[in-house]
Amino acid sequence: QVQLVESGGGLVQAGGSLRLTCVASARFFSSYAMGWFRQAPGKEREFVAAISGSGGDTYYADSVKGRFTISRDNAKNTVYLQMNSLKPEDTANYYCAADPRSAEFMGFISPNYWGQGTQVTVSS
Protein backbone atom coordinates (compact mmCIF):
# COMPACT_ATOMS: atom_id res chain seq x y z
CA GLN A 1 0.00 0.00 0.00
CA VAL A 2 1.25 3.46 -0.91
CA GLN A 3 -0.06 6.68 0.58
CA LEU A 4 0.63 9.97 -1.15
CA VAL A 5 0.28 13.46 0.30
CA GLU A 6 0.59 16.53 -1.90
CA SER A 7 1.32 20.09 -0.86
CA GLY A 8 2.43 23.38 -2.36
CA GLY A 9 -0.63 24.46 -4.27
CA GLY A 10 -2.00 27.96 -4.08
CA LEU A 11 -2.92 31.11 -5.93
CA VAL A 12 -0.36 32.67 -8.25
CA GLN A 13 -0.40 35.27 -10.99
CA ALA A 14 0.18 34.34 -14.60
CA GLY A 15 3.90 34.08 -15.29
CA GLY A 16 4.63 33.05 -11.73
CA SER A 17 5.98 29.81 -10.29
CA LEU A 18 4.97 27.15 -7.79
CA ARG A 19 6.59 23.95 -6.60
CA LEU A 20 4.39 21.02 -5.70
CA THR A 21 5.61 18.35 -3.33
CA CYS A 22 4.39 14.79 -2.89
CA VAL A 23 5.55 12.66 0.02
CA ALA A 24 5.03 8.92 -0.24
CA SER A 25 4.75 6.41 2.53
CA ALA A 26 6.03 3.40 0.65
CA ARG A 27 8.61 0.75 1.11
CA PHE A 28 11.00 0.61 -1.81
CA PHE A 29 9.92 4.05 -3.04
CA SER A 30 12.49 3.91 -5.82
CA SER A 31 10.69 0.94 -7.34
CA TYR A 32 7.72 3.13 -8.23
CA ALA A 33 7.34 5.39 -11.19
CA MET A 34 5.84 8.68 -10.01
CA GLY A 35 3.64 11.07 -11.87
CA TRP A 36 1.58 14.22 -11.71
CA PHE A 37 -1.88 14.60 -13.17
CA ARG A 38 -4.35 17.47 -13.10
CA GLN A 39 -8.07 18.00 -13.40
CA ALA A 40 -9.72 21.30 -14.17
CA PRO A 41 -13.40 21.95 -13.42
CA GLY A 42 -15.61 20.27 -15.98
CA LYS A 43 -12.70 18.46 -17.61
CA GLU A 44 -11.23 14.99 -17.44
CA ARG A 45 -8.10 14.30 -15.46
CA GLU A 46 -5.01 14.60 -17.66
CA PHE A 47 -1.41 13.50 -17.49
CA VAL A 48 1.17 16.18 -16.71
CA ALA A 49 4.53 14.53 -16.05
CA ALA A 50 6.17 11.29 -14.95
CA ILE A 51 9.55 10.18 -13.67
CA SER A 52 11.18 6.78 -13.48
CA GLY A 53 12.15 5.13 -10.22
CA SER A 54 15.78 6.15 -10.55
CA GLY A 55 14.89 9.64 -11.69
CA GLY A 56 16.83 9.19 -14.88
CA ASP A 57 13.88 9.34 -17.26
CA THR A 58 11.19 11.97 -17.38
CA TYR A 59 8.10 12.43 -19.53
CA TYR A 60 5.88 15.45 -20.06
CA ALA A 61 2.62 16.43 -21.65
CA ASP A 62 3.18 18.73 -24.60
CA SER A 63 1.25 21.48 -22.85
CA VAL A 64 3.83 21.77 -20.06
CA LYS A 65 7.11 20.91 -21.80
CA GLY A 66 9.73 23.57 -21.18
CA ARG A 67 7.76 25.06 -18.29
CA PHE A 68 7.38 22.24 -15.75
CA THR A 69 10.06 20.00 -14.30
CA ILE A 70 9.48 16.77 -12.39
CA SER A 71 12.14 15.47 -10.02
CA ARG A 72 12.43 13.09 -7.09
CA ASP A 73 14.50 12.52 -3.99
CA ASN A 74 14.43 8.84 -3.17
CA ALA A 75 16.15 9.38 0.16
CA LYS A 76 13.16 11.50 1.22
CA ASN A 77 10.41 9.48 -0.52
CA THR A 78 9.46 12.70 -2.26
CA VAL A 79 8.62 13.83 -5.78
CA TYR A 80 8.41 17.43 -6.91
CA LEU A 81 6.80 19.37 -9.72
CA GLN A 82 8.41 22.74 -10.40
CA MET A 83 5.99 24.85 -12.40
CA ASN A 84 7.27 28.00 -14.09
CA SER A 85 5.68 30.49 -16.47
CA LEU A 86 2.27 29.49 -15.22
CA LYS A 87 -0.78 30.25 -17.33
CA PRO A 88 -4.45 30.56 -16.37
CA GLU A 89 -5.11 27.31 -18.25
CA ASP A 90 -2.84 25.53 -15.76
CA THR A 91 -5.51 26.10 -13.11
CA ALA A 92 -6.55 22.68 -11.80
CA ASN A 93 -6.41 20.27 -8.94
CA TYR A 94 -3.04 18.52 -9.18
CA TYR A 95 -2.68 14.90 -8.15
CA CYS A 96 0.39 12.84 -7.37
CA ALA A 97 0.37 9.22 -8.53
CA ALA A 98 2.52 6.14 -8.09
CA ASP A 99 2.71 2.94 -10.09
CA PRO A 100 5.12 0.00 -10.25
CA ARG A 101 5.02 -0.03 -14.04
CA SER A 102 7.34 1.97 -16.26
CA ALA A 103 7.12 5.74 -16.16
CA GLU A 104 6.82 5.88 -19.96
CA PHE A 105 3.35 4.30 -19.63
CA MET A 106 2.15 6.71 -16.95
CA GLY A 107 0.35 8.88 -19.47
CA PHE A 108 -1.61 5.93 -20.83
CA ILE A 109 -2.65 4.05 -17.71
CA SER A 110 -4.56 4.72 -14.52
CA PRO A 111 -1.87 4.54 -11.83
CA ASN A 112 -2.45 2.26 -8.88
CA TYR A 113 -2.07 4.89 -6.18
CA TRP A 114 -3.30 8.47 -5.93
CA GLY A 115 -3.01 11.37 -3.57
CA GLN A 116 -5.88 13.63 -2.56
CA GLY A 117 -4.76 16.54 -4.71
CA THR A 118 -3.68 20.12 -4.23
CA GLN A 119 -5.35 23.09 -5.88
CA VAL A 120 -3.41 25.40 -8.19
CA THR A 121 -5.08 28.60 -9.32
CA VAL A 122 -3.41 30.93 -11.82
CA SER A 123 -4.92 34.38 -12.16
CA SER A 124 -4.64 36.43 -15.33
Side-chain angles (χ1 to χ4, degrees), residues 7 12-13 18-19 23 30-31 40-41 51-52 63 65 71-72 79 84 89 91 107 112 114-115 117 122-123:
S7 62
V12 64
Q13 289 188 330
L18 280 175
R19 188 176 80 156
V23 179
S30 62
S31 68
I51 189 167
S52 62
S63 59
K65 277 181 184 176
S71 61
R72 66 190 294 161
V79 62
N84 298 329
E89 51 263 44
T91 295
N112 285 358
W114 294 91
V122 184
S123 64

Side-chain angles (χ1 to χ4, degrees), residues 7-119:
S7 62
L11 174 64
V12 64
Q13 289 188 330
S17 298
L18 280 175
R19 188 176 80 156
L20 305 184
T21 299
C22 173
V23 179
S25 61
R27 295 183 67 187
F28 312 117
F29 175 69
S30 62
S31 68
Y32 290 91
M34 300 296 296
W36 289 95
F37 291 73
R38 66 186 182 186
Q39 187 168 20
K43 294 188 177 181
E44 293 186 354
R45 187 152 50 188
E46 65 175 358
F47 168 76
V48 175
I51 189 167
S52 62
S54 67
D57 297 300
T58 56
Y59 306 87
Y60 297 94
D62 288 343
S63 59
V64 306
K65 277 181 184 176
R67 300 188 299 122
F68 290 11
T69 302
I70 189 170
S71 61
R72 66 190 294 161
D73 184 340
N74 286 343
K76 296 181 178 179
N77 278 26
T78 300
V79 62
Y80 306 97
L81 185 68
Q82 178 66 44
M83 306 185 294
N84 298 329
S85 302
L86 282 162
K87 305 175 181 180
E89 51 263 44
D90 294 318
T91 295
N93 204 6
Y94 282 71
Y95 297 88
C96 177
D99 197 275
R101 290 167 286 185
S102 174
E104 68 178 313
F105 302 135
M106 189 74 81
F108 308 100
I109 63 172
S110 180
N112 285 358
Y113 304 101
W114 294 91
Q116 293 299 307
T118 184
Q119 178 67 36

